[in-house]
Amino acid sequence: MSDHVAQSQPVLSMPSSVPSTLMPSSVTSKRHPCSSASVTYISRRKLVEVVDGLLGVMTPSSTHIKPSVHSFSDGPSDELCPYKAWLATCPSALASFDRIIASAQGKKIALFLDYDGTLSPIVNDPEKAFMSPEMRAAVKNVAKFFPTAIVSGRSRDKVFEFVQLKELCYAGSHGMDIMLSSADSESKTEDDKETKLFQPAS
Ligand SMILES: O=P(O)(O)OC[C@H]1O[C@H](O[C@H]2O[C@H](CO)[C@@H](O)[C@H](O)[C@H]2O)[C@H](O)[C@@H](O)[C@@H]1O
């Protein structure tokens, strides 16, 4: 998350493709005073509702494999257990939702999601790591409010094949291959589409 122009409320950019009829009353869209961009103001209650909906669907498929104590602990003292020390500095985002919401205040929010073990359950056959319709709907919903990207070790095409949401950005091959959202590209020229869709990694 990066600092942004908001004063008391989070300020989120909304894709222009979202019809105003779909916007709940706690979300308003206004022309940004300093540019032609449309800026969406979302209430804290709505922010919690939208993100909480995604987390609710995501929690069961998220991998929570606690490493064996034997592989990490050198002795009986908790203080010596590297896994616990690591957790203290890198707590689970799913268990830190309140802190994340608090620190989102006044920031522009973008959402970066992993695919395997986050949006899909871990299964034996990688070709069958399907995303549930509920998960797809939850991700589609958050993408109405925040720029949303999936970053994966898989190829970009494979992740798109599973997810099938044009409104997202996709980074495949651990970020080496990036495709921006193509949801609003229909009206653009072929040159513009090429520039927008295929961004070389730097
Ligand atoms: O960066 P990610 O989106 O987390 O991708 C990492 C790897 O995901 C896939 O493998 C993992 O999921 C498989 C399906 O559930 C599972 O069978 C495998 O054990 C997991 O490691 C994918 O097959 C790999 O190519 C990705 O690098």
Side-chain angles (χ1 to χ4, degrees):
M1 289 182 225
S2 59
D3 289 336
H4 197 57
V5 293
Q7 285 155 16
S8 58
Q9 294 293 320
V11 180
L12 313 171
S13 26
M14 169 81 88
S16 56
S17 54
V18 178
S20 57
T21 48
L22 290 182
M23 290 180 193
S25 57
S26 49
V27 177
T28 53
S29 192
K30 295 178 186 168
R31 189 69 64 198
H32 190 283
C34 307
S35 78
S36 60
S38 176
V39 174
T40 295
Y41 296 79
I42 184 170
S43 72
R44 184 187 167 95
R45 185 188 58 74
K46 188 67 191 170
L47 173 65
V48 170
E49 183 187 310
V50 169
V51 180
D52 206 25
L54 177 66
L55 294 183
V57 191
M58 192 186 287
T59 304
S61 59
S62 263
T63 33
H64 289 287
I65 303 168
K66 189 175 177 180
S68 123
V69 173
H70 300 299
S71 62
F72 279 90
S73 179
D74 297 320
S77 167
D78 280 355
E79 288 168 19
L80 294 178
C81 176
Y83 177 62
K84 286 194 174 173
W86 176 80
L87 268 187
T89 53
C90 305
S92 162
L94 294 175
S96 310
F97 187 39
D98 290 345
R99 281 173 57 195
I100 292 171
I101 292 294
S103 65
Q105 195 75 13
K107 308 270 178 64
K108 181 172 182 178
I109 298 171
L111 193 59
F112 294 85
L113 300 166
D114 182 31
Y115 185 73
D116 290 276
T118 301
L119 300 182
S120 71
I122 292 292
V123 291
N124 287 336
D125 182 355
E127 289 298 312
K128 294 186 177 158
F130 301 117
M131 187 181 189
S132 69
E134 292 78 17
M135 181 69 82
R136 185 172 293 101
V139 174
K140 191 178 172 70
N141 188 45
V142 289
K144 290 176 193 166
F145 298 94
F146 321 120
T148 302
I150 299 182
V151 186
S152 175
R154 288 182 185 260
S155 74
R156 174 171 57 76
D157 289 348
K158 189 70 204 176
V159 180
F160 183 76
E161 194 182 309
F162 280 131
V163 179
Q164 296 282 324
L165 291 173
K166 282 185 170 180
E167 50 272 74
L168 309 188
C169 304
Y170 294 84
S173 304
H174 302 285
M176 290 295 288
D177 187 8
I178 297 173
M179 178 173 81
L180 299 186
S181 163
S182 58
D184 63 348
S185 65
E186 268 75 27
S187 60
K188 303 234 179 343
T189 65
E190 287 306 310
D191 281 354
D192 284 346
K193 281 185 196 175
E194 192 70 8
T195 309
K196 189 168 173 51
L197 293 179
F198 301 100
Q199 304 283 315
S202 56

